[in-house]
Amino acid sequence: MSSFKPNSGIPEHETSSSEFRKVLWTGLYSQVVIMTIPVGGDIGDEVHTVDQALTFTSGKGMATINGKDQAVEAGDLMVVPAGTQHQFVNTGDSPLEQGDKEEDEGIDEAPEWTKKSKKENEEAGVTSSTHK
């Protein structure tokens, strides 16, 4: 599983780092990420093989999910289903943060099995399906 304990508080990462994103955990179908987007910055156009739920804790920005724009600010939750194009742009005058700050360096690399279909993972024994 993971060493991240949901009830222990959100880890922190350094906002001055050139690394604005840290992957805390990647599961078979979902991923936990924290990030800080600098003023005027963006994450770039992305598509992932796992679901993401992002809660913004400070700042203001524009979320583009599957071609639809929506303003985001502290307290907003955005869900990005696997395979969905998305982009987040900081439109405010302070960093746009999702999660809190972290001092450790993270590796933004999903495990190989996340790049495979559910059927391939079931056949490889990574997971099982109760629906046959």
Side-chain angles (χ1 to χ4, degrees), residues 13 17-22 34-38 42-44 46:
H13 72 270
S17 170
S18 61
E19 292 291 326
F20 68 89
R21 173 180 35 221
K22 179 174 182 177
I34 58 176
M35 66 181 160
T36 299
I37 304 170
D42 65 77
I43 67 166
E46 297 184 334

Side-chain angles (χ1 to χ4, degrees), residues 9-82:
I10 298 174
E12 298 185 355
H13 72 270
E14 189 176 323
T15 57
S16 62
S17 170
S18 61
E19 292 291 326
F20 68 89
R21 173 180 35 221
K22 179 174 182 177
V23 175
L24 298 177
W25 179 80
T26 299
L28 190 56
Y29 302 109
S30 61
Q31 186 176 63
V32 178
V33 177
I34 58 176
M35 66 181 160
T36 299
I37 304 170
V39 174
D42 65 77
I43 67 166
D45 204 33
E46 297 184 334
V47 175
H48 299 291
T49 59
V50 293
D51 297 330
Q52 288 185 320
L54 303 106
T55 301
F56 291 89
T57 59
S58 69
K60 292 185 179 190
M62 180 62 64
T64 303
I65 300 176
N66 203 25
K68 182 179 177 187
D69 292 337
Q70 182 174 340
V72 294
E73 61 184 26
D76 288 346
L77 169 69
M78 302 301 293
V79 176
V80 181

Side-chain angles (χ1 to χ4, degrees), residues 71-97:
V72 294
E73 61 184 26
D76 288 346
L77 169 69
M78 302 301 293
V79 176
V80 181
T84 303
Q85 170 277 335
H86 60 284
Q87 161 74 295
F88 297 101
V89 178
N90 184 338
T91 59
D93 56 5
S94 63
L96 177 61
E97 294 184 330

